[in-house]
Amino acid sequence: MTGLVNRHGLPVITAPTTGGDPRWQVTGPDGHIRWSTPTFTPALFTAAGDHMSGPVARAESVPLSEWLGQPDWPTAERYLRDNIADLLHPQTTQELRRLGEQDPHNRLIPAYQAILDLTHAAGGVIDPPETRYQPTETIRTSQMEPRDTVQGPMPVTFALDYLTPRLKTDEHNPTTLIPDRKLRRLWDDRLLRLTYHDTRARDLAATLAAGVIGEHQGRVDDGRWNATMFGAVATVLRMTVDEARTPGFIDAWNTALDDIACCTAHSEHRMHWVPRLDELRFTVTNHGIPGNINEPAPDHATPLNILTDTMADCRPRHTPGRVP
């Protein structure tokens, strides 16, 4: 039960107990009590619905319904391995897309779709378990793993593992799990490298970042903000040279900058993006962009600089060519 609550961002309604607060309570996905009442009332369900961040999808297909109902990503992977033919059936994939259209605020459905897209692109197989990405956890915060560790397209297992919440025990409260941003940093480093090298990853990075549910604490939602960062980077990597010189005429770019400037992510999480973007800017300037520009692309340094400044300063930046 706890796994489903954390995975889908569900609120919980609890009945009165003999000790503590003898009231009906609605507890949000972040563990905070959102509403309480001394007697049962249908309004409890209304209050719970107001705090549901990741609604559970209802599928007609039995395999799809069971897959979406798995309590965490490791069990979802096992189910996918055992039922891969059924889940890749055209009718199943069409139903999943339909569910996403019917529930556009559900952050998990696109993540499931990304997993199926990667599996289909891999020929209907999932990488052997021994090939899984294992981040170098001992690396210093100011550094990144060696650049040559990234080879080939995004593996299915990387996407599945990336979606798994990275949590650690709170040193002040041993019974509470809190986001492990240092470990998440390593997965985001790798995802950004894949985004640069692999056009398919470029399309899926923001979806995967948004699909990370269960790491937010209080009002901080690193996953949603992180998704905006990856989306902005992907927008830059798709720009032509002329667009990179005047990025302000691209609506998606302007929207991303406004969202990033809200700075709703944890400050530690945001600062991890500085060395990432520095490396990306150097790579793009000197080596171009795979699948887009096959020569050095120094003009793309301009929007990457704007993105870095906007992210670090927590205030909207003037974008060259932007229409006020």
Side-chain angles (χ1 to χ4, degrees):
M1 180 63 180
T2 300
L4 286 173
V5 169
N6 293 337
R7 178 177 174 74
H8 294 280
L10 300 175
V12 176
I13 298 175
T14 54
T17 60
T18 55
D21 187 0
R23 300 166 63 89
W24 288 86
Q25 296 177 341
V26 174
T27 303
D30 56 4
H32 294 158
I33 296 175
R34 301 299 188 181
W35 197 65
S36 67
T37 176
T39 58
F40 175 82
T41 169
L44 283 161
F45 297 102
T46 300
D50 290 340
H51 296 286
M52 183 179 291
S53 61
V56 179
R58 295 175 176 83
E60 296 179 3
S61 163
V62 173
L64 181 57
S65 180
E66 291 181 346
W67 190 41
L68 298 178
Q70 297 301 309
D72 51 41
W73 285 107
T75 56
E77 178 184 342
R78 289 195 291 272
Y79 189 92
L80 174 61
R81 288 181 183 274
D82 293 339
N83 300 272
I84 196 164
D86 289 334
L87 293 173
L88 288 179
H89 191 280
Q91 290 183 350
T92 304
T93 57
Q94 289 174 9
E95 183 179 1
L96 184 58
R97 294 186 188 280
R98 188 165 57 251
L99 287 173
E101 294 171 355
Q102 294 171 353
D103 191 0
H105 299 294
N106 190 320
R107 294 160 60 176
L108 282 175
I109 293 178
Y112 280 102
Q113 185 64 62
I115 297 300
L116 287 188
D117 288 345
L118 287 170
T119 305
H120 187 272
V125 296
I126 304 177
D127 339 303
E130 61 270 15
T131 63
R132 305 188 93 96
Y133 166 62
Q134 297 292 335
T136 307
E137 298 183 38
T138 57
I139 200 165
R140 295 170 58 184
T141 303
S142 60
Q143 297 176 332
M144 295 176 66
E145 290 178 298
R147 189 180 307 166
D148 58 6
T149 59
V150 178
Q151 297 178 357
M154 180 190 293
V156 179
T157 50
F158 174 86
L160 286 161
D161 290 340
Y162 179 90
L163 288 162
T164 301
R166 305 293 157 185
L167 303 170
K168 63 181 179 180
T169 302
D170 186 350
E171 60 182 12
H172 303 296
N173 186 356
T175 63
T176 302
L177 295 176
I178 60 175
D180 188 343
R181 295 187 175 89
K182 287 184 173 61
L183 183 54
R184 172 55 64 187
R185 173 182 66 87
L186 300 172
W187 288 88
D188 285 337
D189 289 351
R190 173 57 63 104
L191 182 57
L192 185 63
R193 292 233 178 100
L194 287 167
T195 301
Y196 170 75
H197 287 286
D198 180 10
T199 56
R200 190 185 312 134
R202 214 167 288 167
D203 295 333
L204 299 179
T207 295
L208 293 176
V212 176
I213 296 176
E215 281 186 7
H216 62 276
Q217 190 176 22
R219 295 181 178 274
V220 175
D221 189 345
D222 291 337
R224 192 181 297 277
W225 184 87
N226 210 24
T228 307
M229 285 294 299
F230 277 110
V233 167
T235 298
V236 174
L237 295 179
R238 296 188 190 103
M239 288 179 182
T240 65
V241 172
D242 288 339
E243 289 173 335
R245 290 171 179 165
T246 56
F249 291 106
I250 301 175
D251 290 340
W253 169 249
N254 293 326
T255 300
L257 287 184
D258 290 340
D259 291 342
I260 290 167
C262 293
C263 292
T264 54
H266 190 277
S267 58
E268 179 184 11
H269 180 84
R270 288 190 294 105
M271 288 303 102
H272 288 159
W273 272 92
V274 174
R276 282 186 206 122
L277 292 173
D278 287 345
E279 182 193 83
L280 180 64
R281 182 169 51 252
F282 173 85
T283 304
V284 168
T285 298
N286 292 279
H287 304 289
I289 305 171
N292 184 11
I293 300 176
N294 298 319
E295 60 185 8
D299 292 293
H300 286 70
T302 296
L304 289 174
N305 279 327
I306 295 171
L307 180 57
T308 304
D309 291 344
T310 303
M311 180 273 303
D313 292 348
C314 272
R315 66 172 184 266
R317 304 286 294 183
H318 171 67
T319 306
R322 181 170 184 173
V323 179

